[in-house]
Amino acid sequence: MAHTLPALPYAPDALEPHIDAQTMQIHHDKHHQAYVNNLNAAIEKAPKLASWSLDDICRNIAKVPEAVRGAVRNNGGGHWNHSFFWTIMHKADGSEPTGALADAVKSAFGDLAKMREQFAAAGVGRFGSGWAWLVAGNDGKLTIESTPNQDNPLMDGKRAVLGLDVWEHAYYLKYQNKRPDYIAAWWNVVNWGEVAKRYAAK
């Protein structure tokens, strides 16, 4: 079955003023759609992948036929990353992590402020395009990572619970070259309830 573009779980202007509606529309309708289209085109050249889920593709990227592996890595990763990204944001409500997620943040980083500082450093420090991630180990311990381009933790057998797109297309219309300002504003729209669900899932 061909991969399809998931709908945004909120209106394009729901994240205003932190992420503007025009950026959301272009990011979702154009950029994400292009990843879906290009992934489907690559799979047509490697029919065995047609039965693989998007998670399967990312987890088994080394098993993808070499002739299409680059296209599948870039576009399958782009599709997975963006599908994930839309769900871990929502309208700003001032919430913070609670429960087991809050405990894990405190255990790994000391407090939320320190976690945000280290996460922001990973996003700002990613040269060129890529992502910053909060990753949960099998033992529940949280770590922060950064990946280039459209790579993601699944490709290394890990589990992402929070991810931030630091490609310029994610922020340039509003923030221009000020990536740190974009990251600082983004914390306002993190959906900590969804992040907690992903942390609790095994």
Side-chain angles (χ1 to χ4, degrees):
M1 179 180 292
H3 293 273
T4 58
L5 179 70
L8 283 175
Y10 35 73
D13 64 354
L15 308 184
E16 293 268 13
H18 310 291
I19 301 179
D20 61 287
Q22 185 181 15
T23 292
M24 288 299 297
Q25 288 174 318
I26 295 171
H27 198 174
H28 175 267
D29 299 354
K30 304 297 184 183
H31 288 282
H32 191 174
Q33 183 68 69
Y35 293 126
V36 172
N37 294 345
N38 291 333
L39 174 61
N40 286 330
I43 288 173
E44 287 181 4
K45 300 173 184 175
K48 80 169 191 175
L49 302 180
S51 63
W52 292 19
S53 71
L54 192 55
D55 281 12
D56 290 338
I57 288 172
C58 291
R59 289 194 183 104
N60 298 288
I61 195 65
K63 298 179 182 177
V64 171
E66 188 174 355
V68 297
R69 190 179 304 150
V72 170
R73 185 183 198 106
N74 292 333
N75 294 289
H79 182 23
W80 191 96
N81 293 353
H82 287 85
S83 298
F84 177 95
F85 187 49
W86 311 135
T87 67
I88 51 91
M89 297 187 292
H90 67 172
K91 185 177 180 63
D93 65 359
S95 63
E96 293 187 352
T98 59
L101 176 62
D103 292 342
V105 167
K106 184 175 181 180
S107 174
F109 305 103
D111 58 34
L112 180 61
K114 291 187 178 70
M115 186 277 278
R116 286 175 48 162
E117 182 180 337
Q118 291 180 39
F119 189 96
V124 172
R126 166 51 57 189
F127 182 77
S129 300
W131 292 72
W133 303 96
L134 186 65
V135 177
N138 292 332
D139 57 359
K141 183 173 176 58
L142 295 171
T143 56
I144 290 169
E145 299 182 5
S146 173
T147 57
N149 303 314
Q150 294 295 354
D151 285 4
N152 60 51
L154 267 74
M155 294 176 181
D156 293 320
K158 300 174 182 176
R159 182 165 60 92
V161 298
L162 180 68
L164 174 60
D165 188 346
V166 295
W167 283 62
E168 285 188 342
H169 67 232
Y171 62 87
Y172 205 83
L173 289 179
K174 182 174 179 68
Y175 296 97
Q176 289 79 52
N177 63 330
K178 303 180 184 73
R179 188 186 288 182
D181 292 355
Y182 157 66
I183 296 173
W186 174 77
W187 290 111
N188 291 288
V189 297
V190 170
N191 183 345
W192 288 111
E194 180 64 27
V195 177
K197 289 179 187 176
R198 293 181 179 275
Y199 177 72
K202 298 297 183 183

